[in-house]
Amino acid sequence: MRSFKRWLDHSLTAQAVLISVLLVGVAALVRRNEHPVWWVVQGGIYSAVVITFLALQRRRIGRAVGTDARGVSELNRKLRHGEVPSGPEERAAMRRLVAEQSAQIERGARWLPYWLGVMGLISVGALALGVASGSLTAPLVLAVGVFAFCCWILWMRRRSLDRFRFMLSALRSDNEPVR
């Protein structure tokens, strides 16, 4: 499983195949009355858009960090596992990666209350429609799902910031001279 996860992390082609399969499945669930060829076409189009976005994002982060996409994915793996890089070039790249990703999270933080508010309005609106129509099952499931998703987003954000703080402190403490 570990080698599969590493292959999926490094290979844009593997990510494209996985995204295509997932999107074809979603298209099949959402558009049951359409021909299966349309499911594949829609999944392919949406996958192309997503993969283009991922490739551009990898290139931008690679330029900011000063390494290629494979190096960025390896640094991200080390960051997730708490492994401090040993070489000076890799340490500098890790510092730049942590700075780039923490700045990205901080830029998104100003929109987080608005996003959470919109998600809350969607849940409340669905519950109001459920009360008006007399069926509360689907709106309650939606509200619980939205609440769980928002909690997961906040947890992942906090966890990422904790990892960034740990890595920066580990990189700083290793640079200090021993007395």
Side-chain angles (χ1 to χ4, degrees):
M1 186 68 169
R2 184 174 291 169
S3 64
F4 175 73
K5 285 172 64 175
R6 183 170 284 181
W7 175 65
L8 190 61
D9 195 31
H10 288 293
S11 173
L12 196 60
T13 305
Q15 291 173 4
V17 169
L18 181 65
I19 290 170
S20 296
V21 169
L22 289 174
L23 289 176
V24 167
V26 168
L29 287 173
V30 173
R31 303 179 190 269
R32 293 181 188 167
N33 299 333
E34 291 183 5
H35 198 275
V37 172
W38 285 112
W39 301 341
V40 174
V41 169
Q42 289 172 346
I45 291 170
Y46 296 143
S47 296
V49 170
V50 169
I51 291 300
T52 302
F53 175 75
L54 284 175
L56 292 174
Q57 184 180 17
R58 276 185 170 192
R59 181 186 296 170
R60 183 187 61 79
I61 290 174
R63 283 184 189 156
V65 171
T67 186
D68 60 342
R70 195 168 287 265
V72 170
S73 64
E74 186 62 27
L75 287 173
N76 274 325
R77 185 194 64 78
K78 286 185 177 186
L79 184 62
R80 280 191 311 268
H81 294 289
E83 299 173 12
V84 181
S86 57
E89 291 176 9
E90 194 176 18
R91 294 169 70 82
M94 180 64 85
R95 273 192 207 94
R96 289 189 298 266
L97 177 68
V98 168
E100 175 71 24
Q101 289 183 349
S102 62
Q104 186 177 8
I105 286 178
E106 291 305 320
R107 282 191 304 269
R110 84 178 137 202
W111 296 104
L112 189 62
Y114 300 112
W115 183 79
L116 291 172
V118 167
M119 297 303 273
L121 285 176
I122 289 171
S123 296
V124 169
L127 286 172
L129 287 174
V131 167
S133 70
S135 173
L136 280 177
T137 306
L140 278 175
V141 169
L142 176 73
V144 168
V146 166
F147 179 75
F149 180 68
C150 291
C151 288
W152 178 74
I153 292 291
L154 292 172
W155 176 72
M156 288 298 290
R157 182 181 182 280
R158 184 181 53 83
R159 185 173 163 206
S160 295
L161 289 173
D162 289 344
R163 285 179 178 169
F164 296 155
R165 281 189 215 104
F166 166 77
M167 186 56 70
L168 284 177
S169 68
L171 289 171
R172 269 192 225 113
S173 66
D174 288 347
N175 279 344
E176 294 175 0
V178 178
R179 297 180 194 184

